[in-house]
Amino acid sequence: MTVLALQCLAEANINETEITNMPNECNSQISENNNIDIYSSPNKYPEAIRDYYQLVKSIRWSDDPTRQVQNKDKTAAKFAATIKRVCNRRLDDDPDNKIDITDDGLLCASHLGELQFLHSMASANGIPSEKTLNKVIEWSNFAFNLSLGSSDLSQPYCDHWSSGEYPNIEPALGVDNVRAKGWCEERPICFWSRLFNTELWNGKQKTFKGFSVATTFNLACDGMFISASCTVIENEDEVRMAALGSVLHLIQDSYSKSHTDRGAPGVSPSVKCDPVKAFRSYKDQNTQIHTKSDKWPSFDSNCRNREEGNTVDPITASAQIIWLHANPKTTNTTVTTLINSVYGEVPKGVLSTAGEGYSAE
C-alpha cells in the first residue's frame, strides 16, 4: 500500500517542483486500475518524492523492530522461531502472562506485548477501546515528530520516557526496568555480549552507550542464530524513516479485520471504510486465520465513494501522512486529525477480544 500511496501523492503533484498538494482521494489506486511509474518516470514528479522511497522498507519496522530479516533473508528462520516459540513461551511462563520489553525484547513486545498498538491492536483481552486508541494517537505524534527531526535522537531514553509527555505509552517502553538494569547510563561490555558479537572481538570498544530515544529504532539484530548483541544503525535518516514508517504501519494495519472490527463480515481480506468498532487482541487468535486477513484486500465501495461518517482509506491516509511530513508547517492539518479520520468515532468502553471467527479454540 505504501507504493500506491507514494504514486497517489506523486500524481497529485505532477509537474510540480515541490510536494505541495495533499491528495483527498486515491481512487485510481484503490480500484487497482493504476500505473505505477514513480520509479520508471521519476522526472514527472517532484524530486522530493524520491526521499520517501525508503518508506517501502521502513514500514516493516513495526513487524521487525530489530531488523532481523530486513537486510538478511538467512535470518528468516530465527525470526519466525522467535515469534512462534520464544515469545509465546515467555508469555506463557510469565506469572502475569505478560511480555516485558526489557527481558523479552522489542520483537516480542511488538507482537505479543504492550507495543501491540503499533499494529492497531490491544495489548490483551479486556482492554477498553479508548485506551488502545489513545496509545495509537500518542505514538503517532511521538514517532511523527521524531521523524521530522523535531526530537533529539540522542536524548537519554530514561529522561524522555519518564517525562510525562506521553502518559499512555510510557509504561509500554519499560523505563523503570531499563533504569534498574543500568541501561540508562554508559556501561562496560560484559563477556557474553562480546563473545556473541564479532565486531567487538578486537577489544577496542570498552563500553556500551546508555539508551537514547534512537535506541527504539536503531537496532539491527541480524545474527543467524541469536540476537544477544545488535549492531547500532548510525544513519539518522534511516532511524527517522523507521519512525515515520511505524505511523503508516498502524494506519494500514487498522484496516485488517484481524486487527480491528469495522463491521465487515467474515475473515477474508477486505477493507471497509467505516469507523473502528473494537480493537482485536492477538493472544487467543488463530495465527493462520489472522494471517489470512492480512493478505492483499479488496476495497468496499464506501472507500471510493466516501460520504459523511466514512473513514479515509489506508492508501489515501498514508499519502496524506507523507504529505504532512513534507509540509510540517501547515496549520490546517495535524497528525491527530489525520489519525482520527482513519479510526473515526470509536465507541468507548468496548473491550478487546480475539474477535468473531479468529479464536484459536
Side-chain angles (χ1 to χ4, degrees):
M1 289 189 185
T2 304
V3 172
L4 295 178
L6 288 169
Q7 181 68 36
C8 178
L9 180 62
E11 290 178 3
N13 291 276
I14 191 169
N15 298 324
E16 298 281 356
T17 57
E18 302 290 339
I19 301 174
T20 56
N21 304 317
M22 182 180 79
N24 292 318
E25 50 82 14
C26 298
N27 281 351
S28 62
Q29 283 72 37
I30 292 173
S31 65
E32 300 183 8
N33 295 322
N34 54 77
N35 176 34
I36 305 298
D37 66 355
I38 54 173
Y39 301 110
S40 60
S41 303
N43 293 333
K44 292 168 54 178
Y45 307 114
E47 186 174 349
I49 290 288
R50 298 171 220 174
D51 295 338
Y52 294 99
Y53 284 0
Q54 62 183 302
L55 280 172
V56 177
K57 178 179 178 181
S58 299
I59 196 172
R60 296 169 57 188
W61 176 85
S62 299
D63 283 332
D64 183 17
T66 51
R67 296 176 175 82
Q68 295 193 31
V69 292
Q70 281 198 25
N71 300 313
K72 295 185 178 181
D73 290 340
K74 65 182 180 181
T75 60
K78 182 195 71 173
F79 176 82
T82 300
I83 295 177
K84 292 181 179 180
R85 297 180 182 178
V86 178
C87 296
N88 277 291
R89 186 181 68 244
R90 292 188 175 192
L91 183 67
D92 292 337
D93 290 347
D94 184 80
D96 298 320
N97 207 223
K98 289 184 177 180
I99 290 290
D100 179 81
I101 188 174
T102 53
D103 290 331
D104 305 316
L106 271 171
L107 181 62
C108 292
S110 171
H111 290 277
L112 290 170
E114 294 294 327
L115 294 181
Q116 289 183 72
F117 58 80
L118 294 173
H119 308 282
S120 289
M121 298 191 76
S123 58
N125 291 332
I127 305 297
S129 51
E130 64 271 20
K131 287 192 174 184
T132 302
L133 180 62
N134 287 338
K135 291 176 183 179
V136 165
I137 293 172
E138 278 194 4
W139 179 268
S140 297
N141 278 277
F142 155 69
F144 186 85
N145 290 335
L146 191 72
S147 73
L148 283 175
S150 53
S151 297
D152 183 4
L153 289 176
S154 65
Q155 182 182 4
Y157 185 97
C158 295
D159 290 350
H160 180 85
W161 291 117
S162 59
S163 66
E165 185 176 0
Y166 301 104
N168 291 293
I169 60 175
E170 283 178 1
L173 277 298
V175 66
D176 290 340
N177 285 348
V178 170
R179 186 178 287 113
K181 291 177 180 292
W183 296 347
C184 297
E185 311 296 334
E186 188 172 10
R187 61 202 184 278
I189 298 174
C190 71
F191 170 79
W192 292 108
S193 292
R194 193 177 299 279
L195 178 64
F196 289 114
N197 191 333
T198 57
E199 295 182 4
L200 300 175
W201 286 2
N202 59 23
K204 292 181 179 180
Q205 184 178 340
K206 303 299 183 183
T207 61
F208 284 134
K209 295 179 180 179
F211 279 21
S212 68
V213 173
T215 301
T216 306
F217 296 102
N218 71 3
L219 300 177
C221 309
D222 53 7
M224 185 178 294
F225 301 110
I226 62 171
S227 300
S229 294
C230 304
T231 301
V232 174
I233 302 296
E234 300 291 351
N235 186 314
E236 185 172 310
D237 287 340
E238 182 176 349
V239 173
R240 295 194 186 279
M241 276 295 160
L244 182 60
S246 74
V247 180
L248 301 187
H249 192 105
L250 61 82
I251 286 173
Q252 294 176 20
D253 269 2
S254 79
Y255 280 93
S256 171
K257 294 177 183 177
S258 55
H259 294 241
T260 67
D261 175 13
R262 291 181 183 263
V267 298
S268 59
S270 63
V271 168
K272 188 174 185 180
C273 292
D274 280 351
V276 169
K277 301 177 185 296
F279 291 95
R280 313 287 198 199
S281 58
Y282 184 75
K283 181 180 179 297
D284 294 327
Q285 284 190 340
N286 180 296
T287 302
Q288 292 182 330
I289 299 176
H290 176 104
T291 302
K292 178 181 178 180
S293 295
D294 282 346
K295 301 296 184 182
W296 185 259
S298 60
F299 285 81
D300 190 276
S301 61
N302 73 345
C303 295
R304 291 186 292 273
N305 305 307
R306 200 161 64 240
E307 298 179 355
E308 185 176 354
N310 292 150
T311 56
V312 177
D313 69 87
I315 297 174
T316 302
S318 296
Q320 291 177 346
I321 286 286
I322 301 169
W323 172 86
L324 184 60
H325 189 271
N327 296 272
K329 295 183 178 180
T330 183
T331 58
N332 297 325
T333 306
T334 67
V335 174
T336 300
T337 57
L338 291 181
I339 291 297
N340 284 334
S341 74
V342 169
Y343 292 82
E345 291 290 332
V346 181
K348 294 181 179 181
V350 180
L351 302 183
S352 56
T353 65
E356 185 178 353
Y358 290 98
S359 177
E361 297 179 355

